[in-house]
Amino acid sequence: MEINDIKGMYTLKIDLIRNVVYETPRNYWKHEDYLRLHNEYVTKVVPLFNGKPWRKCCDLRTYHISMITEDIQDHVKWGSKNGFIGGVIIIDSSNPATSAIALQMKLGTKHIDFDTMVCESLEEANLWLESRLP
């Protein structure tokens, strides 16, 4: 299943075999962008997992650092109560803002003990995700 944001800010691809959401946020985000994304998880994504644990692969190579850290924290807290057990983020190490983006994601999960990894390619992310399958 694939979900595309009406404003082009994200794409969600759901792998129901491995219980993984491939999330690709794009550009600079505002609170209303977060609200649309979160609503997709509440109404469409999480119900697909039928209470089973799930992970996220978040490709941040086209995301721009945004003032939504509290929104990310709220989403992660909600997710942890709804089966979200961790995931991997993909970054572009040649992007000067990468360290700020990685810090924002770390702050977003600081109160939750997740199994996470940071990498630079989808191939590397999938290898890590495969190693986590039951």
Side-chain angles (χ1 to χ4, degrees), residues 86-116:
V88 58
I89 64 170
I90 304 171
I91 59 169
D92 175 3
S93 63
S94 68
N95 179 347
T98 292
S99 59
I101 291 169
L103 177 61
Q104 183 178 45
M105 295 306 128
K106 185 174 181 174
L107 289 172
T109 61
K110 74 178 184 176
H111 296 296
I112 309 292
D113 185 26
F114 275 143
D115 183 21
T116 60

Side-chain angles (χ1 to χ4, degrees), residues 1-5 9-15 20-26 29 36-42 44-46 54 56-58 75:
M1 174 180 197
E2 183 171 307
I3 299 168
N4 292 296
D5 178 44
M9 297 299 286
Y10 59 82
T11 299
L12 302 174
K13 294 180 183 176
I14 299 96
D15 178 341
V20 175
V21 178
Y22 290 87
E23 179 181 307
T24 307
R26 292 179 216 48
W29 280 49
R36 284 193 317 278
L37 175 81
H38 185 70
N39 186 56
E40 302 278 24
Y41 275 91
V42 171
K44 297 176 185 171
V45 176
V46 169
W54 55 280
K56 186 185 289 196
C57 177
C58 195
H75 181 68

Side-chain angles (χ1 to χ4, degrees), residues 42-94:
V42 171
T43 62
K44 297 176 185 171
V45 176
V46 169
L48 293 172
F49 297 127
N50 294 315
K52 295 178 186 166
W54 55 280
R55 296 181 190 278
K56 186 185 289 196
C57 177
C58 195
D59 187 342
L60 299 174
R61 293 177 288 186
T62 58
Y63 171 77
H64 299 213
I65 190 76
S66 304
M67 301 305 292
I68 61 165
T69 302
E70 288 182 18
D71 293 330
I72 293 168
Q73 290 171 338
D74 291 345
H75 181 68
V76 169
K77 285 179 195 172
W78 172 86
S80 71
K81 294 175 184 171
N82 289 279
F84 181 32
I85 58 172
V88 58
I89 64 170
I90 304 171
I91 59 169
D92 175 3
S93 63
S94 68

